[in-house]
Amino acid sequence: SSPSLRAAAMTAAPPPPLEPSPMPVFSEEGFGDKFLRKTRENPLVPLGCLCTVGVLTYGLISFKRGNTRRSQLMMRARILAQGFTFAALLGGMVVTAMKSRK
């Protein structure tokens, strides 16, 4: 390209602004507010977490007391509770993705 075409193209566009445009200001959401909002959106995830912790605790107590049969049963139940929690998490993500598409 010739120098005159380049000069014409440069003068056609307005110069960039000297100061950046202000960013939008969002209110800060604290941990408690975010936790409550997320719990309302998908209540099964915290429920699954509580079940997992409860079963794990009971299994560890059984193990410490020497009840190996119950301890093994609780560890298997913990796996199921974790699976439920993971499925609830994935389901919530799918629902959120479907809502954002609309």
Side-chain angles (χ1 to χ4, degrees):
S1 359
S2 67
S4 62
L5 283 176
R6 245 186 266 139
M10 288 174 71
T11 57
L18 294 176
E19 301 205 10
S21 59
M23 296 294 291
V25 179
F26 296 105
S27 63
E28 272 301 311
E29 184 178 37
F31 176 78
D33 295 332
K34 185 175 182 177
F35 180 77
L36 287 175
R37 180 175 55 85
K38 293 286 187 179
T39 301
R40 274 188 234 110
E41 287 174 6
N42 192 357
L44 295 178
V45 172
L47 181 68
C49 290
L50 285 174
C51 287
T52 302
V53 169
V55 170
L56 175 64
T57 303
Y58 188 59
L60 290 173
I61 290 169
S62 297
F63 180 75
K64 188 174 182 183
R65 290 182 180 165
N67 191 344
T68 55
R69 188 176 179 93
R70 177 159 291 150
S71 174
Q72 284 293 317
L73 185 67
M74 288 300 109
M75 290 306 116
R76 291 182 185 136
R78 177 188 57 87
I79 299 293
L80 290 174
Q82 280 180 291
F84 171 79
T85 305
F86 186 70
L89 187 64
L90 284 179
M93 290 170 59
V94 167
V95 169
T96 303
M98 299 299 268
K99 282 182 184 176
S100 66
R101 279 187 159 187
K102 291 181 181 179

